[in-house]
Amino acid sequence: MKSIVALLCTLFSLGAWANQLESIRIWPSPDNTRIVLDMGAAPRFNYFTLSNPHRLVVDLSQTQNRVSFSEVQNNSELITRVRSSKAPEAGSYRLVFELKAGVKPAVFPLTPAGDYGHRLVVDLPYEDQSRASQPAVRNAVAGRDTIVIAIDPGHGGEDPGAIGPRKNREKHITLSVSRRLAELINKEPGMRAVLTRTGDYYVNLNKRSEIARKARADLLLSIHADSVANAGPRGASVWVLSSNRANREMAAWLEKQERQSELLGGVGEVISQTDANPYLTRTFLDLSMDKSRADSYAISEHILAAMGKVVRLHKRKPEHASLAVLKSPDIPSLLIEAGFISNPQEESLLLSADHQQKVAQAVFNGIKSYYRENPSSRTMVASQDVGQAALSARKHTVKTGESLSVIAQRYGVSVGLLKGHNRLQSDVVRVGQVLDIPSS
């Protein structure tokens, strides 16, 4: 009889505790705090907020807690305390997050991925956005603008990226290399760096481009470490947006009229002042995307040439891919794979401070080389060697992906003037063709 009762109690207990709260992880960032609840199974939940004092309450149905609150690492300025409270029904568990300010939380479950099982994610955006890190903007120095380079350390926080044979995580390597690159850029007169993340937290993929745009960046570089199932491949590579992705993104941008005013180079302002003419809008966006892709490819060639002098290359030519961080139609965007973390030897190199510095220095040299050869009259970089810049600006060798309109736009001349100066009979140019650039 006792054994039957014990069995019934066990079965009742298993039914009552259908899920487990296994850990609580808190990831503060400049814009929000993310809370991750690691669950034994898919969570069933409800949540609401309270004021006076501010609290977020999360009810987990049929869940047993296995977390010691004293062991939860909390570096968030928003969350003051994590505790439990009386659950609304038997078998459930109530979590309470005491807060310094009111929030509008976003709460959503995530299915198992990588090393993680079921999770319940809570994003708490800061209502006072003044606490968020303000991106650097262009500085007028002696009447000239600073070239702004946005650096995106791949992954972060809840997203570890690739994991090497020795369990090292890509997100830490990308942040370290990015910081080294930013330091080099910030030491260069006429250049400034802005990081999409400065710590171990996750930034939405679409928001990475938005951060670059708000900083009025001239270039966006996303730093990553490659990984494949085979441990053999080694070497760095540079990726640019494929034409298919460019076409898809163009359609998406056309549907978002309210965001078009954020485009750089005056394109957004022109679009916002039109009478919503779809053909005119398409023309402006086509020009912007064409120039962005051509510039991306040209910059990637300079970076690969510089990297090839100091590190092994996996591919000596820029590769094309459909990657979210490359999608911006108004900012030249590159993804740089610093090496293969899946290769044991390269994993060790990527962890080395000396190697990280080599990679950062090579990327910086490539950026600087490009802007030296393609100066803009508004920048300090262009003014540092006026004679050489003027000489190099008089000739242009056509590169893959460039059109006559793109080249004319780059040098600030009309297509007609460029054609007439070079005695061209059509708008078609070929790769390797050398054009004389007339005075504007």
Side-chain angles (χ1 to χ4, degrees), residues 153 170-179 197-200:
E170 180 184 1
K171 65 177 183 177
H172 300 308
I173 293 169
T174 61
L175 182 59
S176 181
V177 172
S178 296
R179 284 172 172 167
R197 69 178 177 96
T198 57
D200 187 12

Side-chain angles (χ1 to χ4, degrees), residues 97-174:
F97 298 92
E98 297 183 3
L99 310 172
K100 282 188 177 180
V103 295
K104 295 179 180 178
V107 184
F108 53 94
L110 289 177
T111 55
D115 291 343
Y116 297 117
H118 287 280
R119 289 152 290 165
L120 183 64
V121 177
V122 181
D123 280 339
L124 306 175
Y126 300 144
E127 289 191 355
D128 179 11
Q129 286 301 311
S130 64
R131 74 167 62 204
S133 61
Q134 298 299 318
V137 298
R138 284 182 184 152
N139 257 354
V141 182
R144 300 180 181 92
D145 287 344
T146 298
I147 292 174
V148 179
I149 310 296
I151 307 170
D152 172 45
H155 309 284
E158 180 69 2
D159 175 14
I163 300 175
R166 291 162 50 193
K167 305 303 180 185
N168 293 292
R169 301 191 169 197
E170 180 184 1
K171 65 177 183 177
H172 300 308
I173 293 169
T174 61

Side-chain angles (χ1 to χ4, degrees), residues 183-339:
E183 185 177 1
L184 291 170
I185 290 171
N186 287 329
K187 288 179 179 178
E188 180 70 15
M191 286 189 178
R192 175 176 289 185
V194 58
L195 291 164
T196 61
R197 69 178 177 96
T198 57
D200 187 12
Y201 51 86
Y202 180 74
V203 179
N204 181 279
L205 290 178
N206 291 327
K207 190 172 182 183
R208 296 171 194 248
S209 294
E210 293 299 323
I211 292 172
R213 186 168 294 109
K214 287 179 181 178
R216 299 183 64 202
D218 298 278
L219 174 64
L220 171 61
L221 300 174
S222 189
I223 308 298
H224 287 255
D226 222 335
S227 179
V228 291
N230 180 4
R234 297 182 64 179
S237 56
V238 180
W239 296 77
V240 296
L241 184 66
S242 68
S243 58
N244 287 339
R245 178 60 184 250
N247 293 336
R248 288 199 302 272
E249 293 302 335
M250 187 68 67
W253 271 81
L254 285 169
E255 295 171 2
K256 298 177 181 177
Q257 295 289 332
E258 74 279 5
R259 298 181 63 189
Q260 289 171 350
S261 62
E262 297 174 0
L263 294 174
L264 298 181
V267 176
E269 184 178 356
V270 173
I271 291 172
S272 67
Q273 293 174 357
T274 65
D275 295 326
N277 184 322
Y279 301 104
L280 183 59
T281 299
R282 176 74 189 213
T283 300
F284 282 127
L285 284 174
D286 275 340
L287 288 171
S288 182
M289 179 65 92
D290 283 348
K291 185 177 189 309
S292 175
R293 291 182 60 227
D295 288 349
S296 298
Y297 195 91
I299 298 168
S300 67
E301 288 185 314
H302 281 261
I303 291 176
L304 279 169
M307 293 184 76
K309 296 176 181 178
V310 295
V311 300
R312 179 195 294 259
L313 293 182
H314 182 64
K315 297 286 186 179
R316 294 194 169 272
K317 288 289 185 180
E319 296 291 300
H320 295 81
S322 298
L323 303 170
V325 77
L326 302 177
K327 73 180 185 178
S328 176
D330 53 318
I331 308 173
S333 304
L334 313 177
L335 186 142
I336 298 172
E337 298 281 7

Side-chain angles (χ1 to χ4, degrees), residues 361-440:
Q361 184 69 57
V363 173
F364 171 70
N365 290 344
I367 296 169
K368 190 174 178 180
S369 169
Y370 170 79
Y371 283 110
R372 289 287 190 188
E373 289 190 14
N374 299 271
S376 168
S377 59
R378 66 172 176 78
T379 64
M380 285 181 62
V381 171
S383 69
Q384 289 174 11
D385 191 351
V386 176
Q388 173 122 17
L391 181 61
S392 64
R394 295 180 188 276
K395 299 282 186 182
H396 179 87
T397 303
V398 179
K399 300 180 178 66
T400 302
E402 290 184 329
S403 64
L404 199 64
S405 63
V406 167
I407 298 168
Q409 188 176 13
R410 175 178 299 176
Y411 290 99
V413 299
S414 69
V415 172
L417 182 60
L418 189 58
K419 285 176 63 178
H421 192 74
N422 289 274
R423 300 180 181 179
L424 301 177
Q425 301 301 314
S426 71
D427 291 349
V428 178
V429 290
R430 65 182 186 278
V431 175
Q433 183 175 356
V434 178
L435 300 177
D436 289 322
I437 307 300
S439 299
S440 58

